């Protein structure tokens, strides 16, 4: 019964979230563009799917993934766990003692990004627009690797207490250099993938990890160090998606060269 | 009739299976860390099982709705505006869509409230309910305005065919300069606010809008010109939230 009321509550919340968006779009379509909405029945049915889908999705996350993920984030960052892996109790913890935190950050970043609905949406769109050149899974894995690397580095930053903007600025410089060299087609998509990664699934877990870590590492402030992981998660996918395109291009050129050489012989 | 039902069932089974595949990495990661690293049993078995099932069903339904509703809605409105040819209305629409979808965004409401608490405990604003509420509200308006502006600029960019990288890199330079001057406490929140603005419903709609516009305007390439709205919408909030921090603090 509690489950049902939770589901209804979430559905209502999602509906309230959906209404302004739909009102703006249909309002403009009917009043400004004076157009009938094509396939209105289908669209309504589809919106109902979206509503129901998001409702189930969010309740499921609340019930299964978030409590366990958050609990694990606190347990892994707990000094008691970190000391248990060491032979003697040192006076100060070395950054390398947090190895499981970095690995967990990378693993959870990768896996939540694979399940991120907005990334699936963008990947489907990119696949159809590019005529199949960009694979749905290829893009998703490239983005997920970026998020994994970003969040892992982000937890390392919290542990070492180095300033956030050094990392972000260095990342921007890499992005600029890649932008000059990567195939033109991929650039807008790569930039977009930075924004879509941080959504429903990833943010709550990553925020829990960041705040947990900033709260337990000595000398860190939750205010200054707890935030900022999301920024890492938005920056690194740009690098990996452009890298993915650069790698595909390089391999294509190489295979072209091999076939050319063969033909010449 | 039976044939149709069979096809429907196969279809449902396939979408569910795909969603299960999307979710598999998370299940593996959590099980591994819980059982092998932390050496603890999985608590509340039933809850976790039901929850996971819900996530799978929800994802399958959402992906279906995406294809049936969200993509067509975004594309149709793009074609309709391109046919009407009124740039002014298109720009008003772009701003309204960005502002309207962001102002009600639950993630943003949560982050603003959190930011107000942080600002109050750092002594930047007085720690009264009124002061915190107005700070949080101001932050929400700021972010929503910046997203509206981002979609508006993004649509102008699609129409004109400007390369995205100049806008984005220019924006980054802006972020870097602002970081040097903004109060330290707001920087983390500002950087994070770029990420929370793009919700699960907004992303497919805005992507379909951009791609639809780029494919209906002659000389534009949907791949090069169609994407990029999300990137702009994640960038402007960083600049505006830091500006907000500088003005208010």
């Amino acid at each position: 019964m509690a489950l049902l009321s939770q589901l209804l509550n979430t559905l209502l919340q999602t509906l309230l979230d959906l209404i302004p968006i739909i009102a703006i779009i249909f309002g403009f379509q009917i009043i400004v563009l004076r157009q009938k909405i094509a396939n209105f029945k289908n669209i309504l049915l589809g919106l109902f799917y979206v509503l129901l889908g998001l409702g189930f999705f969010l309740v499921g996350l609340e019930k299964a993934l978030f409590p366990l993920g958050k609990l694990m984030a606190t347990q892994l960052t707990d000094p008691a766990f970190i000391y248990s892996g060491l032979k003697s109790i040192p006076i100060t913890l070395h950054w390398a003692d947090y190895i499981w935190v970095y690995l967990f950050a990378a693993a959870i970043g990768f896996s939540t990004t694979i399940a991120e609905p907005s990334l699936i949406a963008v990947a489907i769109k990119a696949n159809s627009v590019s005529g199949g050149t960009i694979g749905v899974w290829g893009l998703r894995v490239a983005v997920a690797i970026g998020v994994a690397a970003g969040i892992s580095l982000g937890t390392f930053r919290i542990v070492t207490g180095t300033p956030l903007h050094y990392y972000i600025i260095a990342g921007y410089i890499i992005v600029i250099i890649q932008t000059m060299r990567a195939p033109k087609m991929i650039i807008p998509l790569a930039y977009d993938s930075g924004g879509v990664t941080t959504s429903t699934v990833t943010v709550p877990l990553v925020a829990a990890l960041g705040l947990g870590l900033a709260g337990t590492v000595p000398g860190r402030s939750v205010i200054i160090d707890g935030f900022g992981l999301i920024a890492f998660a938005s920056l690194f996918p740009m690098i990996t998606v452009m890298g993915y395109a650069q790698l595909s291009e390089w391999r294509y050129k190489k295979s072209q060269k091999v076939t050319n050489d063969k033909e010449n012989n | 009739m039976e044939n149709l039902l069979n096809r429907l069932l196969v279809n449902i089974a396939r979408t569910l299976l795909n969603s299960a595949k999307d979710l598999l990495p998370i299940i593996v990661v959590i099980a591994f860390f819980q059982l092998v690293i932390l050496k603890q049993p999985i608590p509340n078995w039933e809850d976790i099982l039901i929850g996971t099932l819900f996530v799978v069903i929800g994802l399958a339904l959402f992906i279906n709705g995406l294809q049936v509703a969200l993509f067509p809605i975004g594309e149709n409105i793009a074609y309709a505006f391109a046919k009407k040819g009124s740039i002014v209305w298109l720009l008003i629409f772009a701003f309204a869509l960005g502002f309207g979808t962001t102002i009600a965004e639950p993630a943003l409401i949560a982050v603003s409230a959190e930011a107000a608490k942080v600002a109050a405990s750092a002594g930047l604003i007085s720690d009264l309910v009124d002061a915190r509420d107005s700070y949080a509200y101001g932050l929400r308006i700021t972010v929503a305005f910046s997203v509206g502006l981002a979609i508006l600029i993004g649509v102008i960019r699609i129409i004109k065919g400007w390369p995205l990288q100049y806008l984005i890199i220019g924006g980054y330079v802006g972020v870097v300069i602002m970081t040097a001057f903004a109060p330290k406490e707001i920087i983390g929140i500002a950087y994070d606010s770029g990420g929370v603005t793009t919700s699960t419903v907004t992303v497919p709609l805005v992507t379909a809008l951009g791609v639809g516009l780029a494919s209906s305007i002659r000389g534009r390439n949907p791949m090069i010109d169609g994407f990029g709205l999300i990137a702009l919408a994640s960038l402007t909030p960083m600049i505006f939230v830091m500006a907000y921090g500088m003005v208010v603090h």
Side-chain angles (χ1 to χ4, degrees), chain B:
Chain B
M1 192 64 207
E2 201 178 313
N3 205 354
L4 200 73
L5 195 69
N6 267 344
R7 264 222 313 260
L8 189 71
L9 283 178
V10 169
N11 215 349
I12 291 173
R14 192 183 302 139
T15 2
L16 282 176
L17 202 69
N18 274 334
S19 301
K21 237 194 293 178
D22 296 333
L23 220 63
L24 195 65
I26 301 188
I27 296 171
V28 171
V29 167
I30 291 206
F32 174 76
F33 273 89
Q34 184 77 357
L35 301 173
V36 180
I37 307 301
L38 291 165
K39 297 194 181 74
Q40 271 165 24
I42 306 254
N44 310 324
W45 257 108
E46 304 84 24
D47 271 10
I48 302 234
L49 211 63
I50 294 172
T52 309
L53 195 68
F54 269 34
V55 174
V56 171
I57 295 172
L59 198 58
L61 279 170
F62 176 79
I63 300 295
N64 240 314
L66 190 78
Q67 318 249 33
V68 183
L70 294 183
F71 282 159
I73 290 176
E75 277 156 20
N76 285 342
I77 194 120
Y79 296 145
F81 269 115
K83 216 170 95 193
K84 187 177 166 77
S86 160
I87 291 182
V88 175
W89 274 116
L90 174 60
L91 295 183
I92 295 172
F93 170 74
F95 183 84
L97 187 68
F99 187 91
T101 54
T102 311
I103 193 81
E105 175 64 43
L108 177 63
I109 297 173
V111 166
S112 319
E114 192 60 36
K117 250 192 264 167
V118 166
S121 67
L124 297 170
I125 53 170
S126 66
D127 197 6
L128 297 166
V129 178
D130 274 357
R132 270 187 281 144
D133 280 354
S134 81
Y135 182 88
Y137 188 69
L139 201 59
R140 268 172 67 193
I141 297 276
T142 308
V143 174
F145 177 83
S146 66
V147 174
L149 195 69
I151 306 286
L152 186 138
I153 294 173
V155 165
I156 297 179
R157 170 202 153 243
I158 295 175
I159 297 172
K160 298 267 185 196
W162 295 335
L164 178 69
Q165 53 266 43
Y166 296 145
L167 288 176
I168 298 286
I169 292 174
Y172 280 165
V173 173
V175 169
V176 170
I177 294 171
M178 300 279 287
T179 305
F181 296 101
K184 216 174 166 193
E185 289 78 8
I186 200 100
I187 292 173
I189 296 162
Y191 281 19
D192 276 1
S193 70
V196 297
T197 51
T198 41
S199 82
T200 319
V201 180
T202 321
V203 166
L205 275 175
V206 165
T207 305
L209 176 77
V211 169
L213 275 178
S215 13
S216 49
I217 298 172
R218 195 182 309 185
R220 295 290 162 270
N221 176 317
M223 202 61 211
I224 295 179
D225 302 299
F227 291 94
L229 288 175
I230 308 288
L232 284 167
S234 322
L235 174 71
T236 52
M238 294 198 230
I239 300 175
F240 278 79
V241 169
M242 282 195 269
Y244 180 74
M246 286 156 77
V247 172
V248 173
H249 295 169

Side-chain angles (χ1 to χ4, degrees), chain A residues 3 7 17-18 20-21 24-26 28-29 32-33 35 42-43 46-47 49-50 52-54 56-57 59-61 63-65 68 72 75-76 81 100 103-104 107-108 111-112 114-115 117-118 120-122 124-126 129-130 134 137 140 164-165 168-169 172 176 179 184-185 187-189 191-192 195-196 198-201 223-224 227-231 238, chain B residues 22-23 25-26 29-30 33-34 37-38 40 43 47-48 50-52 54-55 58-59 61-73 75-77 80-81 83-84 89 92-93 96-97 100-101 104-106 114 118 121 164-165 168-169 172 175-176 179 185 188 191-192 195 198 200-201 203-205 207 211 221-224 227-231 234 238:
Chain A
L3 187 66
L7 186 62
D17 197 22
L18 206 60
I21 305 175
I24 290 169
I25 293 187
F26 285 178
F28 270 86
Q29 193 140 17
V32 178
L33 297 166
Q35 246 198 0
N42 266 344
I43 297 238
L47 283 176
Y49 284 162
V50 168
L52 209 62
L54 280 180
F56 269 101
F57 190 72
V59 171
L61 289 179
K63 224 154 171 67
L65 186 61
L68 199 54
M72 289 170 76
Q75 282 175 339
L76 282 168
F81 168 77
W100 283 116
L103 286 177
F104 178 72
I108 207 80
S111 56
T112 53
I114 291 291
S118 26
I120 301 179
V122 169
I124 292 174
K125 200 82 208 166
V129 170
S130 70
I134 293 164
W137 274 94
R140 285 168 67 192
L164 172 66
H165 51 268
I168 301 293
I169 291 169
Y172 284 169
I176 292 173
T179 303
K184 262 210 185 75
M185 286 291 206
I187 292 168
L189 183 64
Y191 285 9
D192 266 4
V196 295
T198 46
S199 200
T200 339
V201 198
I223 300 171
I224 293 172
F227 295 92
L229 275 183
I230 313 285
M238 296 194 224
Chain B
D22 296 333
L23 220 63
I26 301 188
V29 167
I30 291 206
F33 273 89
Q34 184 77 357
I37 307 301
L38 291 165
Q40 271 165 24
D47 271 10
I48 302 234
I50 294 172
T52 309
F54 269 34
V55 174
L59 198 58
L61 279 170
F62 176 79
I63 300 295
N64 240 314
L66 190 78
Q67 318 249 33
V68 183
L70 294 183
F71 282 159
I73 290 176
E75 277 156 20
N76 285 342
I77 194 120
F81 269 115
K83 216 170 95 193
K84 187 177 166 77
W89 274 116
I92 295 172
F93 170 74
L97 187 68
T101 54
E105 175 64 43
E114 192 60 36
V118 166
S121 67
L164 178 69
Q165 53 266 43
I168 298 286
I169 292 174
Y172 280 165
V175 169
V176 170
T179 305
E185 289 78 8
Y191 281 19
D192 276 1
T198 41
T200 319
V201 180
V203 166
L205 275 175
T207 305
V211 169
N221 176 317
M223 202 61 211
I224 295 179
F227 291 94
L229 288 175
I230 308 288
S234 322
M238 294 198 230

Side-chain angles (χ1 to χ4, degrees), chain A residues 66-232:
Chain A
F66 289 165
L68 199 54
K70 285 177 186 167
L71 185 71
M72 289 170 76
T74 18
Q75 282 175 339
L76 282 168
T77 52
D78 186 355
F81 168 77
I82 291 169
Y83 285 127
S84 75
L86 305 173
K87 288 191 184 76
S88 62
I89 293 183
I91 300 158
T92 52
L93 281 167
H94 192 246
W95 64 265
D97 299 333
Y98 287 88
I99 185 78
W100 283 116
V101 174
Y102 312 140
L103 286 177
F104 178 72
I108 207 80
F110 182 90
S111 56
T112 53
T113 306
I114 291 291
E116 201 63 81
S118 26
L119 178 62
I120 301 179
V122 169
I124 292 174
K125 200 82 208 166
N127 178 264
S128 69
V129 170
S130 70
T133 319
I134 293 164
V136 173
W137 274 94
L139 182 68
R140 285 168 67 192
V141 169
V143 174
I145 292 174
V147 175
I151 296 184
S152 191
L153 195 64
T155 49
F156 170 77
R157 179 200 78 84
I158 296 177
V159 169
T160 54
T162 30
L164 172 66
H165 51 268
Y166 288 1
Y167 292 84
I168 301 293
I169 291 169
Y172 284 169
I173 291 172
I174 298 175
V175 167
I176 292 173
I177 293 171
Q178 275 186 303
T179 303
M180 295 190 288
R181 300 176 155 265
K184 262 210 185 75
M185 286 291 206
I186 201 77
I187 292 168
L189 183 64
Y191 285 9
D192 266 4
S193 27
V196 295
T197 50
T198 46
S199 200
T200 339
V201 198
T202 319
V203 171
L205 284 183
V206 167
L209 191 64
L211 294 174
L213 204 54
T216 51
V217 177
R220 296 296 161 270
S221 126
V222 176
I223 300 171
I224 293 172
D225 300 301
F227 295 92
L229 275 183
I230 313 285
F232 275 90

